[in-house]
Amino acid sequence: MTSITPPTVPTSIELMDQLAQAAAEYYRSFATVAAARGLTLMQGKMLSLLRRPMPMRTLADLLGCDASNVTGIVDRLEAHGLVRREVDPADRRIKRVTLTEEGERTVHEIRAELLTTLSGLDELGERDRRTFQRLLSRLFPAGAA
C-alpha cells in the first residue's frame, strides 16, 4: 500500500511571497498595457482608480504618493485628454479629477487587454470567484468597497 503524504499548509510568509510575486506580475503586465497607450504605470493606475470623480488628495492616498506627484500625473493625463479637473460643488477649494469619454475608453481598453493576460480569472467558477473575492476582502478590507 502506498502512503499519500498530505499537502503541507503554506506558511504566512510563503503566502505573502506568492502574493508579492502575483502583484509584481500583475503590475508588469499593467505597465506593458499602459505603455502601449503612451502612459506610465502610475498614469494607468490613476485612470483605473477613477470609477467616480475623486479629490486629488484621495488619489494621492490610494496611490501611496505625495499630492504634488498627483498634480503632475493629472497634468499629463489632462494633456492627453483623458481626465479633467472639476471644482467640488460642496467645497470649492477641493479639485476633483474625473475621466473624460476618451479616458473611459482607455480604461476599458486597458482592462480588456489585461484580462487576456489574466485568463485564469475567466476560468474560475462562481464559487471560486466568490471565495477569491472574500479572501481578498479579508486581506485588504479597505479595498473591499
Side-chain angles (χ1 to χ4, degrees), residues 57-106:
R57 163 62 38 212
T58 302
L59 285 167
D61 292 343
L62 289 171
L63 292 169
C65 67
D66 190 76
S68 63
N69 291 346
V70 168
T71 300
I73 295 168
V74 171
D75 286 347
R76 289 184 290 283
L77 290 173
E78 204 169 33
H80 287 318
L82 302 173
V83 301
R84 67 178 172 273
R85 289 178 175 96
E86 300 173 338
V87 175
D88 188 307
D91 185 343
R92 298 191 56 76
R93 296 170 297 174
I94 297 173
K95 297 286 189 228
R96 295 185 319 175
V97 181
T98 188
L99 289 174
T100 62
E101 284 185 30
E102 183 63 26
E104 288 176 13
R105 202 170 17 261
T106 300

Side-chain angles (χ1 to χ4, degrees), residues 38-60:
L39 302 170
T40 66
L41 173 61
M42 288 300 275
Q43 290 169 346
K45 283 172 69 173
M46 181 180 288
L47 286 178
S48 71
L49 289 171
L50 287 169
R51 291 186 179 96
R52 59 179 166 56
M54 281 191 207
M56 291 181 63
R57 163 62 38 212
T58 302
L59 285 167

